[in-house]
Amino acid sequence: MTSPGPFDAGPSLPEPLPDSPFPLFAAWFDEARERMDSPNPDAMTLATVGPGGQPSARVVLCKGLDIEAGTVDFYTNLRSRKGREIEGNPLSALCFHWDTVEQQVRLEGRLSRVSDAEADAYFATRAWQSRIGAWASEQSEPLQSREALLKQAMEQILELDLDIAAAVRGDPVDIPRPPHWGGYRMTADRVELWIGGAGRMHDRAVWERVVSCESGDGGWLAQRLQP
Ligand SMILES: Cc1cc2nc3c(=O)[nH]c(=O)nc-3n(C[C@H](O)[C@H](O)[C@H](O)COP(=O)(O)O)c2cc1C
């Protein structure tokens, strides 16, 4: 056995690597949520690709993780720049970074829409202002002024006949999900788990699988990568 040397301190990935990356990913995610030292542990960078091949990236919140299926969900305006890009090209990438624990998770795969029932259920959990915002904002479109947006929101309150006094009191109010708002689910076919190490001797490994409609998931193949 080689001696540990000066670089080997600190946490590392299991040896041998587990068959699937998702249980470990989910455990890291739970830990990030429990530690409270990261204000937005659910935040992940989503990269999509436009019609000319130009990638674009922005942060969205992870709102679902299925360990068995190897999927990750997020919600957005379907007519936004990202929504339009996804409709044109469902291949995308996601990246989580939990700074305080020096962990990164990268995922690549194909996006599909979550069901209307799932989108309705999640939409109903959002604060009333966020639900009004989903109606009022034509996400990614040009805006004349800040005031114009607030006016759009007030107009939506009137149009939806919202009982604003009840909403402000915190009583439940019925605001339907806009048809242009929904969720996407990434079925990952490439996942990389990364742990920062002393002297840039990071520990990283990648899991890849073939997912097809006909034969389903063929299982993960794992490999450590040089940092
Ligand atoms: C911490 C954080 C969380 C966000 N979560 C979401 C989200 O879950 N869904 C969303 O549509 N936008 C979210 N946004 C806003 C996006 O980053 C982005 O500005 C917006 O979706 C428009 O992107 P697009 O024009 O590329 O479609 C979030 C931004 C931040 C900083």
Side-chain angles (χ1 to χ4, degrees), residues 162-173:
L162 178 70
D163 182 345
I164 189 98
V168 170
R169 269 201 311 275
D171 293 350
V173 282

Side-chain angles (χ1 to χ4, degrees), residues 40 42-44 46 48 56-63 74-77 79-85 122 126 139-141 181-182:
N40 260 322
D42 301 356
M44 54 187 186
L46 162 72
T48 54
S56 69
R58 79 290 287 153
V59 172
V60 293
L61 295 179
C62 174
K63 290 293 171 186
F74 63 91
Y75 288 85
T76 192
N77 184 314
R79 298 198 295 234
S80 62
R81 176 176 180 187
K82 75 181 88 51
R84 283 181 272 119
E85 291 187 350
Y122 171 61
R126 305 181 89 212
Q139 193 176 57
S140 318
E141 294 302 314
W181 192 96

Side-chain angles (χ1 to χ4, degrees), residues 103-190:
Q103 286 169 340
Q104 174 179 241
V105 178
R106 297 168 60 179
L107 303 109
E108 291 168 29
R110 183 175 288 270
L111 296 173
S112 56
R113 289 270 300 279
V114 308
S115 70
D116 285 346
E118 286 171 289
D120 286 340
Y122 171 61
F123 191 73
T125 68
R126 305 181 89 212
W128 71 268
Q129 294 94 330
S130 307
R131 283 180 282 159
I132 289 292
W135 280 98
S137 167
E138 291 183 36
Q139 193 176 57
S140 318
E141 294 302 314
L143 182 66
Q144 207 66 40
S145 64
R146 179 93 195 130
E147 199 188 342
L149 178 65
L150 301 179
K151 188 160 165 268
Q152 284 169 211
M154 291 312 291
E155 282 165 3
Q156 284 301 332
I157 287 175
L158 295 175
E159 204 159 303
L160 292 164
D161 202 16
L162 178 70
D163 182 345
I164 189 98
V168 170
R169 269 201 311 275
D171 293 350
V173 282
D174 186 29
I175 303 171
R177 175 177 61 88
H180 59 263
W181 192 96
Y184 287 103
R185 174 162 299 148
M186 175 191 278
T187 302
D189 55 27
R190 189 179 203 277

Side-chain angles (χ1 to χ4, degrees), residues 16-70:
L17 296 166
D19 291 340
S20 161
F22 265 82
L24 194 50
F25 167 27
W28 285 11
F29 202 174
D30 285 344
E31 195 193 334
R33 276 190 284 225
E34 277 160 21
R35 286 173 58 108
M36 307 295 287
D37 50 11
S38 163
N40 260 322
D42 301 356
M44 54 187 186
T45 299
L46 162 72
T48 54
V49 179
Q54 169 67 53
S56 69
R58 79 290 287 153
V59 172
V60 293
L61 295 179
C62 174
K63 290 293 171 186
L65 175 62
D66 185 325
I67 295 177
E68 281 302 310

